[in-house]
Amino acid sequence: MLSHAVIASLLAISANAHVGTWNPGMYCRGGNDTKEDNQNTNLIVNPLYQLEKDVWWQQRDRGCHLVPPPDGEFLELPAGASFTTELANNRAFTTLSYDGQYVSDWQDGQNRTEPWVGPGTPPGCLVDNPDKAGGELHARSREHAAGTAWAISYESDLDKVTMDNLVVFSVRYHTPWKRLTAYDVPADLPECPPEGCYCAWLWIPDGCGQPNMYMSNHRCKVTGSKSTKTLGTPKAPVWCEDDQSKCLSGPKQMMAWNQASGDNVVAPQGRTPTYNERMGFKDGAQDDIFVESENQASSSSSSSQAAAQTSSTQASTQSPAPATTTSIQSTSSESSTAAATHSTPSAQPSQGESTCSKHKRHLRHHARHMA
Ligand SMILES: *[C@@H]1O[C@H](CO)[C@@H](O)[C@H](O)[C@H]1NC(C)=O
Ligand SMILES: *[C@@H]1O[C@H](CO)[C@@H](O)[C@H](O)[C@H]1NC(C)=O
């Protein structure tokens, strides 16, 4: 049963509803105050838009690069299989909070039946329905949900992760939608250094609100891999909706869009670059992200992707041991300046106030039922 304090807090925080991913290994799971493990936080779900690169990158606008998961905790990526995440607008509606008692099949702890679509034909935004629910999904229907993605860097140190060593390895079309969402892992993804890899969850919604993007931090590791392949250096995706021959194949960068600086993709006027076919991403594991030949010299690949690589001289004498990342020097200028972390976030909820207050009302109703 909810205490009055918890109900009040749920109501207050849910007013800023968007969607994020909740997992073992995530940063800022309990918010950004390291003295408190907040069960009822939505800090990581707040969107990024019109921010400078050094603050949108890794959610530095809210200090989430500084609040790692507990030692030894990782998001596990099973090579050649899939992992399941929880997409929700608040930790309260995941199994990582309150023993999972407020969890439903959906992102907001509510029950509903499908199909769930916005009003009209073609459908308007979900939030335009009489119940005003679902604004945080920025969608008109499941089919219209933009697609979300995961990227991986073999750098353990967040300060060494750059656009040039962070590679999109999995995409799920038509998400975010329901809470439980599975992503496929390439079978050839090599193991991470002992300290783990860096993984980011990524989303650019397709309209239905302020144009924005999402990038949330995880410490991750690949499990069950026998691969000795190396990831190639990613390139910025290219809009190719109208001509698939224009799609960029091979390793791709995450997409930065509608920021004050650091954008790496462009879309036609009025359109949005999304993690789906229109930017050349296929659904599922991105199997085309590896350097072609396994015996490629390390000099031919990005220095920062060398973690799982063994040089030809080492290979003959020792069993391959992952290089420790501390010895790898990032050559890119992309590394963010760690100092600039305390600027006030300008990100606001992208939905109108009516969305938020209506959402509150739902929770209030919900809370009454449980009281
Ligand atoms: C925590 O996040 C809030 C909201 O974004 C922000 O105002 C505050 O400065 C952050 N605290 C730290 C220590 O980064
Ligand atoms: C959703 O349905 C489940 C199962 O019937 C029920 O236990 C739960 O209280 C419902 N949640 C809400 C928010 O109505």
Side-chain angles (χ1 to χ4, degrees), residues 170-245:
S170 190
V171 168
R172 184 54 73 219
Y173 286 5
H174 308 305
T175 64
W177 190 243
K178 286 190 148 183
R179 178 176 58 89
L180 293 176
T181 302
Y183 296 87
D184 304 325
V185 181
D188 287 337
L189 213 56
E191 285 197 345
C192 292
E195 303 83 0
C197 287
Y198 168 82
C199 285
W201 180 80
L202 306 163
W203 174 34
I204 299 181
D206 189 10
C208 288
Q210 172 77 35
N212 59 32
M213 69 176 201
Y214 300 77
M215 176 187 199
S216 64
N217 305 326
H218 293 71
R219 183 198 294 141
C220 56
K221 69 175 177 190
V222 179
T223 60
S225 176
K226 295 187 176 64
S227 172
T228 55
K229 291 198 178 178
T230 307
L231 278 67
T233 303
K235 295 199 181 75
V238 174
W239 181 274
C240 61
E241 186 183 48
D242 37 6
D243 180 357
Q244 292 290 301
S245 73

Side-chain angles (χ1 to χ4, degrees), residues 109-111 366:
Q110 298 298 303
N111 295 321
H366 179 55

